[in-house]
Amino acid sequence: VDECFEEVLAAPLRAALAQWPPDRHVYFLVDALDELQPGAGRAQFLRIVGSGLLKLPPQVYLLVTSRPEDDIRAHLRALSPFVVDKYQELQRADLRAFAETRIVGETSLRLLPAEERAAAVDTLV
């Protein structure tokens, strides 16, 4: 599985990023991670993400939405996560600002019409 991660994702991503300006970022969004059924498959996915992301270039970011389940928190702890509680209004405002400036403003999403950009931010937040 580690070899597959390297061959299918990590190596091509490193090659692409080598041709981009160093301030360009790549974001991976994993939504509803907690909805993966607990068990061996979920544990393997968490292990791959938790260890594999550390091997990727520093301009690669992982955004995860999930309930704070113990196994998920344990596997992702090594990534030094920034945890946002969606019920904390100040954190939601920070998340919205981040989504607008970094995820939309610095990616190809910036080319969308304003209404679609706003919808993308609303979906993320």
Side-chain angles (χ1 to χ4, degrees):
V1 174
D2 290 331
E3 289 175 22
C4 188
F5 177 86
E6 178 63 30
E7 189 174 318
V8 173
L9 181 68
L13 187 56
R14 276 192 219 97
L17 288 172
Q19 299 176 25
W20 288 2
D23 62 341
R24 199 138 176 223
H25 300 104
V26 174
Y27 297 91
F28 287 101
L29 173 63
V30 179
D31 188 28
L33 182 56
D34 57 290
E35 292 184 18
L36 279 174
Q37 293 298 313
R42 176 162 138 172
Q44 184 176 34
F45 180 81
L46 289 168
R47 185 183 58 76
I48 291 168
V49 169
S51 64
L53 197 66
L54 293 172
K55 299 173 187 170
L56 295 176
Q59 62 265 56
V60 177
Y61 295 89
L62 177 67
L63 300 171
V64 175
T65 66
S66 177
R67 291 178 189 91
E69 296 186 3
D70 291 340
D71 63 327
I72 293 172
R73 293 171 72 111
H75 278 89
L76 300 182
R77 188 170 291 126
L79 301 176
S80 302
F82 177 76
V83 178
V84 176
D85 182 343
K86 71 177 187 175
Y87 298 108
Q88 297 287 329
E89 195 55 41
L90 185 58
Q91 285 187 348
R92 284 184 59 137
D94 288 344
L95 184 57
R96 177 170 295 283
F98 176 81
E100 289 171 346
T101 59
R102 299 295 293 271
I103 298 172
V104 173
E106 295 180 7
T107 68
S108 59
L109 293 174
R110 72 183 180 284
L111 303 175
L112 294 172
E115 185 176 297
E116 291 180 32
R117 288 193 313 265
V121 169
D122 289 344
T123 299
L124 291 168
V125 177

